[in-house]
């Protein structure tokens, strides 16, 4: 078996193959549902209904999608420049810690001033967390895959220490959680009475901004050039190191906004489990989205829908929620395969 | 077919080999026979289908139709081992040797387990020394490959094939990396091999070599076999026409007034880069209205010289002067802004971003300045207009400015790079192997553009491995060897053979070399 490059992929290839990948994902999920002893069509229907079938379900999905949009954008921005940021989880927690620190009464400012200040500080913290591995990479050639990945555990332990120490809620009955944010530091709901906060709106705005930066600014041009061909970029005079640094600041800042939005929007306080791996799932989201900022929004909704839907399906028919993980893993693998097949033709020799 | 070889048995038969890639027919029903004790030259321009044909022979590609037979047995398609075991050996243009192993280890590698107790090192050495003697391939079996010259490495590649009992040798552009003297040695080896009953396919586009070494010539053009002839019954000019399909006149070089010194290196040294030597106390002046040719075997410091002049590295020692003054900060941007055009050696790796479209590639050096951007915002209309202008003025054949440049041929890619740098009307042009891999039409076009720039008073540095190209175009010729630069020789003051001596690293006086 050999692979031959396809010069100009046809539209059928570029759209048909990813669609086929999704269809195959659904088929495999159905098969597994059958193995688990439930009728596959009802399982899929329940997932769909659980994700998008009611106002409550839809809002739950949008809430779940919010941090995934931020981490997905963070990964997409970095990967575009071939900066392998596997540490969105750490940057998310950095943003969350800053939000919990500044939002629990340390600053008694009005909401209009406080929220932007906290968001900026959170972004700065996330940016710094990614800045360190990036400088190590540009200066000394240290592999950022290793450093960003390992920093996730360092930061998580550090958060754990803070929650057992200085940030621990004195009224928390001994639980490792922070005090609740003051009302001025909470992200308001988009529509009063509906459980959806402005973090979601902020995520959509972030996607649009990132698209604008990538497509319309010299920085975006530089980031794409550095990602596609570092040697040519350097030859043409693009400052590769500084571009990677700027990319890192942007990416780390975006991931930190996920932490900000979860603490200030959804949860209202910091615990050690505010992220069930949003930073890692962001990688899946970004890959499914082909690193396109608007694609990230769609992919995040898909991923969030699968998780939320699988939860509700599981409650209804007792098929384990692991099905959601399997579906996402399958979708990712098949999507990567589909992408390869849009560019290469398989020859059976 | 007349001649002496036709009575000898056929050792290799290509029968109606056809291979298409999309709309492109790379090989169109190509058939020919190779006989025992014969050298066939496979002649053709880049893109004529020579490499595809050899890849099919070696099972790297599967032919759409047709077959390959070695010693009467048809090879299974798409099996790289089949050709090897049938006794076909290939010497690639780019060597496939491990630098950190000895010659002996490289030769034996893959034929038997090297580090097992059963490995008969003495026997292997004996066998290699026999081959060395029989074919005149002087090389020390215990030398590290990393320490060998390019010519010696090529001999190791040939020994590798012979050690595996190859009866048919295929040499892909074997002289491209050799000095004239090394080329003569190679030809002597080939004559010995043929006398011992081996058969050779010699792939080349250099006509005088084809005339010198081959018994028969097979000419490919646009994937078709357009001629098969006894070498003795033809001549260079006929072959050139067959290869190109039309008569090609070399560009006329008219005298131009020599201007002032535009850029100058004084006593410049740079550190070595891995196996590639850095510059050793180099003196170089490029004047307006001049083409300065830099001859040399690849990997002798050309890249370092190009990078110093082009702003990619600053000299470790010595001085670079631009218009008589030492520039404050020397970077690619400073070089471009200061009117230096740079045409890099590798179009795909450094010249372009293959997945960017033509527009984005056209502004690669200029995107940061008006009209292509203002305050960090791109002006895509201006960039597209610039790309359109280059496409029209430099005859870049492409579907449009939104096409990814990966899809263009090498020639059209090079025309875009040429347009990108010449549109800024530079007064210094650095061209590193600007015509490598181009077909003759594109090659002529590039040369004409360089001559036109010289005509309007620009200074050109032309780096090339092709001595004929250097001698045809240059007003002044320098030879580079192991980072040392020869004095400048005026046009016509040195013969090919005399330059060959310099290419081989002789003539650089003790005083020129740097002790430190």
């Amino acid at each position: 078996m050999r692979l031959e490059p396809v010069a100009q992929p046809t539209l059928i290839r570029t759209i048909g193959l990813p669609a086929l990948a999704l269809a195959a994902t659904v088929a495999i999920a159905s098969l597994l549902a059958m193995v688990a002893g439930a009728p596959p069509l009802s399982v899929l229907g329940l997932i769909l209904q659980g994700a998008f079938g009611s106002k409550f379900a839809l809002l739950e999905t949008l809430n779940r999608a919010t941090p995934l949009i931020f981490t997905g954008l963070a990964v997409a921005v970095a990967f575009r420049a071939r900066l392998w940021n596997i540490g969105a989880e750490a940057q998310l927690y950095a943003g969350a810690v800053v939000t919990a620190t500044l939002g629990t009464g340390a600053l008694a400012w009005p909401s209009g001033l406080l929220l932007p200040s906290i968001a900026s500080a959170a972004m700065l913290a996330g940016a710094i967390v990614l800045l360190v591995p990036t400088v190590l990479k540009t200066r000394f050639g240290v592999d950022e895959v290793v450093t960003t990945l390992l920093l996730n555990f360092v930061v998580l332990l550090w958060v754990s220490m803070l929650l057992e120490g200085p940030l621990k809620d004195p009224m928390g009955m001994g639980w490792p959680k922070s005090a609740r944010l003051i009302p001025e530091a909470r992200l308001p709901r988009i529509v009063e009475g509906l459980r959806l906060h402005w973090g979601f709106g902020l995520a959509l705005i972030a996607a649009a901004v990132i698209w604008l930066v990538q497509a319309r600014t010299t920085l975006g041009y530089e980031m794409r050039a550095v990602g596609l061909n570092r040697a040519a970029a350097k030859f043409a005079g693009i400052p590769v190191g500084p571009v990677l640094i700027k990319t890192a600041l942007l990416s780390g800042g975006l991931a930190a906004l996920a932490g900000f939005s979860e603490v200030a929007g959804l949860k209202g306080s910091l615990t050690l489990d505010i992220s069930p791996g949003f930073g890692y799932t962001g990688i899946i989201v970004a890959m499914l989205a082909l690193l396109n900022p608007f694609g990230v929004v769609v992919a995040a909704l898909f991923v969030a829908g699968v998780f939320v839907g699988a939860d509700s399906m599981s409650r209804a028919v007792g098929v384990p929620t692991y099905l959601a993980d399997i579906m996402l893993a399958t979708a990712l693998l098949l999507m990567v395969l589909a992408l390869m097949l849009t560019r290469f033709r398989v020859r059976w020799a | 077919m007349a001649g002496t070889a036709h009575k000898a048995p056929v050792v290799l038969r290509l029968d109606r080999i056809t291979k298409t890639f999309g709309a492109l027919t790379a090989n169109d029903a190509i058939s020919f026979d190779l006989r025992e004790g014969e050298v066939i030259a496979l002649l053709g321009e880049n893109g004529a289908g020579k490499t595809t044909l050899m890849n099919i022979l070696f099972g790297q590609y599967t032919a759409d139709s047709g077959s390959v037979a070695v010693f009467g047995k048809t090879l299974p398609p798409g099996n790289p081992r089949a050709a090897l075991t049938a006794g076909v050996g290939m010497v690639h243009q780019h060597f496939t040797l491990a630098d950190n192993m000895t010659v002996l280890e490289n030769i034996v590698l893959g034929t038997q387990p090297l580090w097992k107790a059963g490995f008969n090192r003495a026997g292997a050495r004996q066998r290699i020394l026999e081959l060395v003697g029989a074919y005149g391939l002087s090389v020390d079996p215990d030398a590290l490959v990393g320490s060998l010259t390019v010519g010696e490495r090529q001999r190791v590649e040939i020994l590798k094939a012979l050690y595996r009992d190859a009866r048919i040798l295929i040499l892909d552009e074997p002289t491209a990396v050799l000095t004239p003297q090394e080329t003569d040695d190679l030809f002597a080896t080939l004559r010995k091999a043929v006398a011992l009953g081996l058969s050779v396919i010699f792939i080349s586009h250099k006509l005088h070599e084809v005339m010198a070494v081959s018994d028969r010539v097979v000419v490919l053009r646009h994937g078709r076999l357009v001629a098969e002839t006894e070498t003795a019954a033809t001549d260079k000019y006929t072959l050139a026409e067959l290869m190109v399909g039309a008569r090609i006149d070399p560009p006329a070089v008219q005298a131009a007034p020599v201007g002032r010194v535009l850029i100058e290196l004084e006593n410049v040294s740079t550190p070595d880069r891995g196996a590639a030597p850095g510059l050793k106390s180099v003196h170089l002046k490029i004047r307006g209205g001049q083409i300065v040719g830099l001859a040399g075997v690849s990997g002798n410091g050309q890249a370092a010289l190009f990078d110093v002049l082009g702003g990619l590295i600053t000299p470790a020692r010595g001085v670079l002067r631009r218009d008589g003054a030492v520039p404050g900060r020397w970077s690619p941007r400073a070089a471009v802004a200061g009117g230096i055009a740079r045409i890099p050696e590798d179009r795909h790796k450094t010249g372009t971003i293959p997945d960017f479209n033509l527009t984005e590639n056209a502004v690669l050096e200029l995107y940061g300045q008006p009209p292509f951007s203002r305050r960090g915002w791109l002006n895509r209309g201006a960039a597209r207009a610039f790309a359109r202008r280059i496409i029209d003025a430099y005859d870049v054949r492409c579907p449009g400015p939104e096409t990814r440049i990966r899809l263009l041929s090498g020639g059209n890619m090079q025309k875009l790079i040429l347009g990108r740098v010449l549109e800024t009307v530079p007064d210094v042009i650095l061209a590193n192997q600007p015509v490598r891999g181009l077909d003759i039409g594109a090659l002529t076009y590039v040369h004409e553009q360089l001559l036109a720039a010289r005509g309007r008073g620009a200074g050109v540095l032309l780096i090339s491995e092709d001595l004929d190209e250097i001698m045809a175009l240059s007003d002044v010729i320098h030879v580079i060897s192991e980072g040392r630069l020869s004095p400048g020789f005026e046009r016509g003051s040195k013969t090919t053979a005399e330059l060959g001596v310099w290419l081989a690293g002789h003539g650089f006086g003790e005083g020129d070399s740097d002790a430190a």
Side-chain angles (χ1 to χ4, degrees):
Chain A
M1 183 188 117
R2 330 176 44 86
L3 295 175
E4 280 185 8
V6 177
Q8 183 111 52
T10 57
L11 199 65
I12 299 176
R13 276 186 111 79
T14 47
I15 294 184
L17 281 168
L20 203 66
L22 275 187
T25 304
V26 170
I28 289 171
S30 311
L31 214 65
L32 286 169
M34 268 162 67
V35 171
L41 275 180
S42 83
V43 166
L44 291 172
L46 283 168
I47 290 180
L48 209 60
Q49 199 176 6
F52 305 106
S54 65
K55 194 156 82 180
F56 174 80
L58 185 65
L59 290 176
E60 188 58 29
T61 300
L62 295 183
N63 267 330
R64 184 73 78 99
T66 302
L68 290 177
I69 295 175
F70 283 121
T71 55
L73 286 173
V75 172
V77 161
F79 280 20
R80 191 58 101 188
R82 291 203 172 234
L83 177 70
W84 305 117
N85 176 14
I86 316 294
E89 190 80 357
Q91 295 136 31
L92 179 152
Y93 271 102
V97 164
V98 167
T99 307
T101 311
L102 299 180
T104 43
L107 301 176
W109 296 347
S111 202
L113 185 64
L114 186 59
L115 276 172
S117 307
I118 294 179
S120 308
M123 285 181 81
L124 190 67
I128 290 169
V129 169
L130 185 53
L131 186 65
V132 175
T134 308
V135 170
L136 286 174
K137 173 194 171 74
T138 56
R139 279 287 157 87
F140 307 111
V142 180
D143 188 348
E144 77 275 23
V145 173
V146 177
T147 48
T148 54
L149 178 65
L150 292 182
L151 264 182
N152 287 338
F153 306 105
V154 174
V155 169
L156 203 61
L157 286 169
W158 190 70
V159 173
S160 168
M161 183 200 79
L162 287 176
L163 286 178
E164 295 288 356
L167 281 183
K168 191 171 186 175
D169 183 5
M171 323 286 277
M173 326 250 281
W175 292 100
K177 76 188 267 300
S178 78
R180 293 201 67 78
L181 265 58
I182 56 174
E184 290 80 9
R186 294 298 302 272
L187 278 165
R189 295 187 167 174
I190 293 178
V191 178
E192 205 47 56
L194 293 184
R195 215 176 81 94
L196 182 67
H197 58 87
W198 264 107
F200 182 71
L202 191 62
L204 294 184
I205 293 167
V209 169
I210 293 304
W211 178 82
L212 207 62
V213 167
Q214 285 189 334
R216 294 281 190 267
T217 67
T218 51
L219 176 63
Y221 178 89
E222 289 169 339
M223 293 193 312
R224 286 183 295 133
V226 167
L228 287 172
N229 186 344
R230 207 161 279 181
K234 182 164 175 269
F235 178 81
I238 295 174
V240 173
V243 168
L244 285 175
I245 301 278
K246 288 178 201 168
T247 306
L249 297 178
L250 196 55
S251 172
L254 282 164
L257 279 181
F260 163 74
S261 144
E262 285 299 280
V263 173
L266 199 63
K267 302 280 169 58
S269 63
L270 174 63
T271 53
L272 209 51
D273 59 357
I274 54 157
S275 164
F278 288 137
Y280 302 104
T281 313
I283 299 172
I284 300 180
V285 169
M287 298 295 281
L288 286 177
L290 315 184
L291 309 186
N292 176 307
F294 293 128
V296 163
V297 175
V298 176
L301 287 173
F302 168 74
V303 170
V306 169
F307 274 127
V308 172
D311 274 347
S312 114
M313 175 278 300
S314 177
R315 283 193 297 275
V317 290
V319 173
T321 53
Y322 294 129
L323 191 62
D325 293 318
I326 295 172
M327 273 182 82
L328 287 183
T330 317
L332 180 67
L333 289 175
L334 291 176
M335 196 62 89
V336 169
L337 189 68
L339 286 181
M340 191 200 70
L341 290 179
T342 56
R343 289 182 295 120
F344 294 96
R345 185 179 288 119
V346 180
R347 288 266 168 158
W348 305 95
Chain B
M1 258 189 291
T4 50
H6 84 282
K7 289 189 195 75
V10 170
V11 294
L12 172 70
R13 170 164 286 167
L14 298 178
D15 190 20
R16 282 163 294 154
I17 302 276
T18 299
K19 175 76 180 171
T20 56
F21 294 102
L24 177 85
T25 305
N27 286 160
D28 190 357
I30 292 177
S31 310
F32 65 85
D33 292 342
L34 175 70
R35 290 169 183 278
E36 191 180 295
E38 180 185 42
V39 178
I40 284 190
L42 188 58
L43 186 63
E45 291 195 86
N46 280 290
K50 295 172 295 184
T51 307
T52 305
L53 192 62
M54 290 306 116
N55 279 333
I56 289 168
L57 168 53
F58 268 88
Q60 307 289 347
Y61 290 153
T62 308
D64 299 343
S65 65
S67 64
V68 180
V70 180
F71 297 111
K73 267 193 267 177
T74 304
L75 296 184
N79 181 352
R81 287 205 87 82
L84 288 175
T85 45
V88 186
M90 177 128 186
V91 176
H92 291 274
Q93 216 173 339
H94 302 287
F95 304 141
T96 50
L97 299 171
D99 281 355
N100 56 348
M101 295 169 83
T102 67
V103 169
L104 184 141
E105 285 164 346
N106 264 287
I107 292 171
V108 177
L109 193 64
T111 60
Q112 51 187 302
L114 266 186
W115 291 282
K116 268 199 183 160
F119 172 47
N120 182 355
R121 192 172 278 265
R125 174 178 291 108
Q126 184 57 37
R127 178 101 198 285
I128 291 169
L129 289 174
E130 279 168 25
L131 292 171
V132 164
Y135 294 90
L137 292 158
S138 66
V139 62
D140 171 13
D142 298 314
L144 272 185
V145 162
S147 69
L148 301 183
T149 66
V150 177
E152 288 171 322
R153 285 178 206 216
Q154 189 174 62
R155 280 175 236 152
V156 177
E157 284 280 7
I158 296 173
L159 279 172
K160 230 166 95 178
L162 294 173
Y163 189 87
R164 286 161 176 71
D165 294 320
R167 302 300 298 159
I168 300 169
L169 273 184
I170 298 173
L171 301 146
D172 188 5
E173 303 268 357
T175 61
V177 293
L178 302 182
T179 64
Q181 282 77 3
E182 285 174 328
T183 303
D184 289 342
D185 292 346
L186 172 68
F187 287 177
T189 297
L190 292 186
R191 283 189 203 102
K192 282 188 184 141
V194 170
L196 289 167
L198 268 71
S199 310
V200 176
I201 295 182
F202 181 88
I203 303 172
S204 182
H205 62 260
K206 291 187 182 168
L207 296 166
H208 59 269
E209 292 173 356
V210 168
M211 295 304 295
V213 78
S214 69
D215 300 310
R216 278 195 299 142
V217 187
V218 170
V219 185
L220 300 187
R221 185 170 78 229
H222 299 319
R224 284 218 185 83
L225 193 155
V226 291
E228 183 177 356
T229 171
E230 301 282 323
T231 311
T234 185
D235 61 62
K236 266 163 69 163
Y237 305 98
T238 317
L239 289 178
E241 266 187 63
L242 284 168
M243 186 163 89
V244 178
R247 189 161 274 286
I248 294 291
D249 298 316
V253 181
Q254 273 136 13
V258 175
R260 65 196 160 84
V261 175
L262 296 171
I263 193 163
E264 180 184 3
L265 297 180
E266 190 182 302
N267 209 19
V268 164
S269 299
T270 62
D272 294 349
R273 283 193 277 192
L279 299 176
K280 312 260 189 301
S281 305
V282 162
H283 296 267
L284 176 72
K285 284 188 172 107
I286 299 174
R287 294 171 183 279
Q290 255 190 351
I291 292 185
V292 176
L294 185 71
V297 175
S298 170
N300 269 292
Q302 289 98 327
L305 185 71
F306 181 81
D307 286 353
V308 165
L309 292 169
L312 272 109
I313 50 179
T314 39
R317 274 190 301 138
V319 183
L320 177 143
R321 284 198 199 87
R322 175 82 173 106
D323 288 327
V326 179
R329 192 177 132 68
W330 198 230
S331 67
R333 274 191 185 167
V336 170
I340 295 180
R342 304 165 309 146
I343 301 167
E345 179 181 7
D346 193 323
R347 290 183 278 275
H348 299 268
K349 284 201 186 123
T350 46
T352 61
I353 295 183
D355 285 314
F356 267 10
N357 63 32
L358 269 81
T359 302
E360 290 166 316
N361 271 297
V363 297
L364 202 54
E365 293 178 334
L366 305 169
Y367 71 92
Q369 58 195 58
F372 304 118
S373 68
R374 273 179 229 281
R375 295 164 193 267
W377 290 91
L378 295 171
N379 182 344
R380 300 192 307 154
R384 210 175 293 122
F386 182 65
R388 284 229 173 79
R389 202 158 78 228
I390 294 173
I391 289 168
D392 292 343
Y394 294 83
D395 187 32
V396 183
R397 312 260 168 88
C398 65
E402 305 300 327
T403 312
R404 280 189 308 149
I405 205 160
R406 175 188 289 289
L407 302 171
L408 266 56
S409 72
N412 284 313
M413 218 182 259
Q414 191 71 321
K415 283 178 183 172
L416 182 93
I417 294 174
L418 206 60
R420 168 174 98 195
V421 298
L422 291 183
E423 274 297 294
T424 60
V425 200
D427 67 349
V428 172
I429 296 163
L430 310 173
N432 193 355
Q433 312 254 30
V435 299
R436 179 151 78 182
L438 300 192
D439 66 44
I440 203 125
L443 174 151
T444 312
Y445 185 82
V446 171
H447 283 167
E448 281 168 2
Q449 291 291 328
L450 294 181
L451 285 168
R454 164 184 177 270
R456 62 166 172 76
V460 179
L461 177 74
L462 174 65
I463 302 176
S464 176
E465 286 180 283
D466 186 343
L467 204 51
D468 298 339
E469 180 191 10
I470 293 277
M471 293 187 73
L473 294 174
S474 315
D475 300 293
V476 176
I477 298 173
H478 289 273
V479 179
I480 192 165
S481 173
E482 300 194 354
R484 298 165 304 173
L485 200 67
S486 78
F489 307 121
E490 294 289 323
R491 172 190 297 281
S493 69
K494 285 271 186 284
T495 64
T496 313
E498 284 169 331
L499 288 174
V501 173
W502 286 88
L503 285 173
H506 305 294
F508 298 87
E510 289 302 310
D512 288 343
S513 68
D514 198 8

